[in-house]
């Protein structure tokens, strides 16, 4: 990737777009704070999740398992399963950002969907770094502030069942899932995963159905990978010729 310097106008444009994404995404942390407290976690535990885990889907998954009465270990396993995509992001972004040592280690904490999307297709290394850092840091700061606000507000509400907030975890997951149901294959996978999860609810501990549903998605993804076809040798190969 070229190392050409950014012009002031290019830098301002990247920062502006990245901050817009950061503000929009970070504000959603209010929902997580309220949902997490409603599921039974304390304000301190909720804030610690946003500070240390910092990956929205995994945080909602952990809160959902706890809300259902599942063991924390099951919640952690579910969160880990959803967070595996960040590893793939890291493999893709390492040659793009070209950081080494402590910089790469620090950048890993803000390696999320948004920071990846705002940097992966930049034509220069500097542009990718500006997009990545501006988006990642702004989301991190605002997500944690919003989480604290949501958690404190949620605790002040009291018993979540009084206001119907005990259904907030499921609603939050549906909101995360809905934009991804534009593709027919995703709809089929979602229905299969839901069927497997529902069938296991009466016979397994809380949290296990979610893991099983995630396993369905992994299985479909593995089966969908078609091997590269092998061309049968022809006359040209036998004669040692090349096209």
């Amino acid at each position: 990737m070229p190392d050409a310097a950014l012009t002031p106008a290019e830098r301002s444009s990247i920062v502006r777009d990245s901050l817009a994404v950061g503000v929009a995404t970070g504000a959603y942390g209010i929902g997580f704070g309220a949902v997490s407290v409603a599921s039974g976690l304390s304000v301190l535990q909720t804030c610690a999740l946003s500070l240390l885990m910092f990956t929205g889907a995994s945080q909602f998954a952990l809160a959902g398992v706890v809300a259902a009465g599942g063991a924390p270990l099951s919640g952690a396993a579910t969160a880990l399963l959803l967070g595996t995509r960040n590893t793939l992001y890291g493999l893709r972004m390492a040659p793009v950002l070209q950081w080494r040592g402590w910089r790469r280690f620090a950048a890993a904490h803000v390696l999320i969907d948004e920071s990846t999307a705002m940097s992966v297709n930049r034509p220069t290394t500097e542009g990718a770094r500006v997009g990545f850092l501006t988006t990642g840091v702004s989301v991190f700061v605002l997500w944690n502030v919003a989480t604290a606000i949501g958690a404190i507000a949620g605790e002040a509400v009291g018993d979540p069942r009084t206001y119907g907030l005990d259904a907030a975890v499921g609603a939050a997951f549906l909101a995360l899932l809905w934009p991804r149901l534009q593709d027919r294959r995703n709809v089929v996978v979602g229905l299969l995963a839901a069927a497997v999860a529902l069938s296991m609810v009466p016979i397994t501990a809380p949290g296990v159905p979610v893991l099983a549903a995630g396993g369905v998605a992994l299985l479909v993804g593995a089966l969908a990978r078609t091997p590269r076809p092998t061309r049968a040798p022809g006359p040209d190969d036998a004669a040692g010729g090349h096209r």
Side-chain angles (χ1 to χ4, degrees), residues 73-94:
L73 187 60
S74 296
T78 304
L80 182 63
L81 180 65
L82 289 174
T84 52
R85 71 187 188 284
N86 291 44
T87 303
L88 302 179
Y89 292 163
L91 294 175
R92 178 66 181 90
M93 293 305 299

Side-chain angles (χ1 to χ4, degrees), residues 119-148:
S119 57
V120 68
N121 290 323
R122 301 290 179 188
T124 66
T125 300
E126 185 179 359
R129 289 176 174 178
V130 171
F132 181 88
L133 282 178
T134 306
T135 306
V137 173
S138 61
V139 172
F140 179 77
V141 172
L142 293 172
W143 177 268
N144 278 276
V145 171
T147 294

Side-chain angles (χ1 to χ4, degrees), residues 108-220:
H109 197 56
V110 292
L111 181 67
I112 55 176
D113 299 353
E114 293 77 14
S115 61
T116 300
M118 293 300 292
S119 57
V120 68
N121 290 323
R122 301 290 179 188
T124 66
T125 300
E126 185 179 359
R129 289 176 174 178
V130 171
F132 181 88
L133 282 178
T134 306
T135 306
V137 173
S138 61
V139 172
F140 179 77
V141 172
L142 293 172
W143 177 268
N144 278 276
V145 171
T147 294
I149 294 173
I152 294 171
E155 188 178 53
V157 166
D159 188 351
R161 291 172 295 183
T162 304
Y163 304 93
L165 294 178
D166 51 327
V169 174
F173 258 118
L174 183 59
L176 290 172
L177 178 65
W178 191 259
R180 293 169 171 78
L181 296 181
Q182 305 301 319
D183 182 82
R184 180 176 296 179
R185 187 181 70 172
N186 291 347
V187 173
V188 173
V189 172
L191 291 174
L192 287 174
V196 170
L198 289 173
S199 68
M200 298 188 69
V201 167
I203 58 175
T204 61
V208 175
V210 179
L211 290 173
V216 171
L218 291 176
L219 179 61
V220 171

